[in-house]
Amino acid sequence: MSYIKLDNISQVFGFGNTTRVALQQINLNIEAKSFVIIMGQSGSGKTSLLNVLGLIRQPIQGVYNLSGQAVTELSNSARAKLRRQKIGFLFENFNLSPNLNVFDNVSLPIIYNRPLNFTSRSNLVKEALNRLGLHNKEFLYPKQLSLAQAQRVAIARAIIHKPDLIIADEPTGRLDSKATDMIMKILKTLNQQGITIIMATHNPFLSQYANRFVYLHDGFLKVNQTLQPNQQIDITKIQEAIQKQAWRRKNKSASTDQLVKTKTGLRD
Amino acid sequence: MFFKYIYTAWQEIKQHPSRNLLATVEIILAVACVILFFGITAGIQQQIEKNYNFSQRIITLHSGQSVVRDVEGQITEYNIAHSIGAEPNLTKADWQVLREHPEIEVTAPIVNLHAPISNAEGTLMGNSHVIGTDENLISVLGQSLAYGNNALDSHARTAIIGNEVARELFNNSQPIAHEIKIANQTFIVTGVLESIDQLNLFNLDVNYNRSVLISLEAVNGLKSQPAEDISMSKILALSYQLPSDQALQDIDEEILINHNQRDFSLYRNSELLPLLDSILQFLKTLAIVLVIVFLGVGGFSLMIALQSSLRQRRIEINVRKIVGATNFQILYQIIIEATVLSVLGGFLGIILGIMISIFISYLSPVEIVLHLDSLAYVIISMPVLGLIFGLYPALQASSQNPDQRIYE
């Protein structure tokens, strides 16, 4: 049984003349302990898909099963409870509260999760920070950290409550290559320790860390394939293929469609 | 969780002290006004009560009709301006009426004179009074001498001076037997008055601390008037017990015969107290209304400032919601922040109010009493204020969808 199962998921924003379809009939199965890279151009629906997977937004259509539990119809508070128990989040801008020090930022998920005394909370925070090589930085503020350190603090916040799933939206978007490499290795390690990671990115080089690749285009899931270890995706080819498919569809050329699909693994 | 939220609120205040201080400035001023208003009214009430027991036995007769009575004889109106500004028209005959009444123990006439007062070296005393009276005035007022003797000799020109006169003209040195000049005429100081509580509302027309008491005859000399023509502005009479209605009526009739018209006022000082009480109640009510208005404005400004702060912290709130905070938990947190801010403003307001009260008490004769009631009102109302005015911004912030803003 899949850890994550999306059945015919659609998402729409706005209404009337401003309606925008963000996701269109997405069907996706993700096994536990997978490392999934989601790519696509801007506006392709990556963030919307992450919002649905992270229980931040309810889709307007379809069924979402997380770890065998149907979560589509849950109330806001039930989803919030699931998020703080099972899901960790990473963002491109780290989204650390500037008013709180590292200790308080990292302990945010467990404040809402279950009542803990200061000692227990402190131990969990220190454990999370030590895992990421950030010991002795509990009392610094985000503005006193480098970008890589800030993202590591964000990772500590994402894992402190021992989630099964991490949703990461462009976690390396603001980092240089060295820092990117460090963060990706940390995520890979977490994945090897059993955490399912779903990450959106524009950087095709990061696909070498993943074992699953998903490509979205205009809200449709166009590519969903398993990756070999250290396999890199050639994104240009995929984009070209999509363009050709669109052109062919417009001109209704079936044979070329079939050829393109065979070559690239594209789906309708 | 509750203490964690208080800690978070404190962190936010520490990070932006000027913004949060501005948010609470109205509350600080409002609370300071609460402390001050209640302190002033409590102080006035205390001073009235302090003088009440003694003043019950005093009858005042003064020139000018400043008291209006109803058909039952109750005072319905007291025009203090008339009592201060009236032309002196009380005569020795009026004084005689009071002195001879069986219920009256002692009397003291008062003639006000404006004349320059200076010491032997010529140092002038500003803002001072000369009062022609007799030695009974001090006992009628219920006061005493700091030192010297209570002798106002009509032949030898002696004077009793107020304690501020002693301080200003004699630099706190012993003024007894020293010279003092009134309108360039020399008098000898025989006594110095103890400091007199000037907010005794029966002494509003004269500041005895800045006065020089001389005999009636000496006043005549200064005015170059014959003794028979002397006109007094006020005569105080101390009765043996509470003056009866009959006594007052008798005196009133005799004075009316002397004057042929009602151009004078006669009353027991205790009759003014209910009137003053109603004025005090009015002041208290006014103070409460003003305080409610101030606190309302303070709460409103807190709400606006909180809204602005929350707009700037929308990413933080979104992150909290994403990591698992429910709408209620966000609402709870923000209300606690608002409450912490208003309690902090209240605390600073109490300190400011106490400092202003001490400052005013030091500089003026107004005695300000720090009322525990006002502190209790503040302590109870501050959290309520935070709760009420923090609710709307908290509802706004807690209801926003997290995903729409998270990536800004």
Side-chain angles (χ1 to χ4, degrees), chain B residues 23-53:
Chain B
T24 55
V25 103
E26 295 274 359
I27 293 179
I28 293 170
L29 293 175
V31 168
C33 288
V34 168
I35 304 292
L36 201 56
F37 286 163
F38 278 93
I40 288 173
T41 50
I44 291 173
Q45 187 159 10
Q46 196 178 75
Q47 285 184 293
I48 290 172
E49 284 167 5
K50 209 162 55 173
N51 291 296
Y52 180 71
N53 286 337

Side-chain angles (χ1 to χ4, degrees), chain A residues 13 47 50-51 56-57 76-77 80-81 83-84 89 91 93 95 97-101 103-104 107-109 111-112 121 141 143 157 169, chain B residues 1 4-5 7-8 11-12 14-16 19 313 315-316 319-327 329-330 333 401-404 406-408:
Chain A
F13 295 110
T47 302
L50 289 180
N51 282 344
I56 296 170
R57 271 267 188 175
N76 282 341
S77 52
K81 189 178 173 186
R83 283 200 300 272
R84 65 178 179 249
F89 293 88
F91 311 102
N93 289 325
N95 285 334
S97 173
N99 299 335
L100 304 176
N101 57 24
F103 183 99
D104 292 324
S107 59
L108 270 181
I111 288 171
Y112 298 113
R121 199 163 67 233
Y141 283 81
K143 60 185 174 191
R157 181 181 64 191
D169 192 356
Chain B
M1 185 74 98
K4 187 67 190 161
Y5 287 153
Y7 170 75
T8 307
Q11 290 292 97
E12 163 63 18
K14 267 194 339 180
Q15 288 294 314
H16 300 99
R19 179 175 77 191
R313 291 164 60 198
I315 292 178
E316 178 201 329
V319 170
R320 284 177 183 268
K321 294 190 96 174
I322 282 171
V323 300
T326 59
N327 287 358
Q329 283 168 327
I330 299 291
Q333 178 191 337
N401 286 325
D403 61 318
Q404 287 176 355
I406 187 164
Y407 301 114
E408 279 186 50

Side-chain angles (χ1 to χ4, degrees), chain B residues 79 91 219 315 333:
Chain B
N79 192 327
T91 62
V219 167
I315 292 178
Q333 178 191 337

Side-chain angles (χ1 to χ4, degrees), chain B residues 45-243:
Chain B
Q45 187 159 10
Q46 196 178 75
Q47 285 184 293
I48 290 172
E49 284 167 5
K50 209 162 55 173
N51 291 296
Y52 180 71
N53 286 337
F54 183 79
S55 321
Q56 285 183 98
R57 292 164 53 208
I58 295 178
I59 293 173
T60 301
L61 171 67
H62 66 72
S63 40
Q65 191 181 11
S66 59
V67 161
V68 175
R69 291 182 185 272
D70 60 16
V71 291
E72 289 163 12
Q74 302 296 317
I75 293 180
T76 55
E77 206 177 300
Y78 177 61
N79 192 327
I80 194 166
H82 280 173
S83 73
I84 294 171
E87 194 65 30
N89 60 5
L90 302 178
T91 62
K92 278 194 170 180
D94 300 324
W95 187 13
Q96 189 79 10
V97 168
L98 281 163
R99 273 193 301 195
E100 289 176 356
H101 197 281
E103 285 196 29
I104 301 299
E105 182 183 344
V106 288
T107 59
I110 292 171
V111 177
N112 288 315
L113 179 68
H114 290 285
I117 302 172
S118 61
N119 58 14
E121 286 81 29
T123 308
L124 274 172
M125 171 97 184
N127 193 22
S128 54
H129 307 274
V130 177
I131 297 172
T133 184
D134 65 8
E135 58 272 8
N136 290 325
L137 178 65
I138 295 168
S139 49
V140 168
L141 290 177
Q143 305 298 331
S144 57
L145 292 178
Y147 37 85
N149 65 64
N150 184 14
L152 287 177
D153 195 323
S154 55
H155 300 293
R157 288 179 166 205
T158 57
I160 296 169
I161 60 177
N163 72 330
E164 285 188 33
V165 178
R167 195 170 62 236
E168 282 192 31
L169 293 185
F170 298 97
N171 290 325
N172 289 323
S173 63
Q174 176 64 264
I176 304 295
H178 279 74
E179 285 180 1
I180 190 169
K181 289 197 174 180
I182 301 171
N184 288 324
Q185 296 194 24
T186 304
F187 290 75
I188 303 295
V189 178
T190 56
V192 178
L193 288 170
E194 288 276 13
S195 177
I196 292 177
D197 178 9
Q198 274 311 125
L199 210 61
N200 178 344
L201 291 164
F202 311 117
N203 297 330
L204 282 179
D205 53 341
V206 170
N207 185 347
Y208 287 100
N209 295 318
R210 298 184 71 81
S211 297
V212 175
L213 308 183
I214 58 178
S215 65
L216 278 179
E217 288 72 19
V219 167
N220 285 342
L222 289 173
K223 281 187 170 181
S224 303
Q225 267 182 318
E228 299 77 34
D229 292 343
I230 191 165
S231 294
M232 292 165 256
S233 54
K234 193 191 283 189
I235 302 172
L236 299 178
L238 184 68
S239 61
Y240 290 103
Q241 292 169 5
L242 286 175

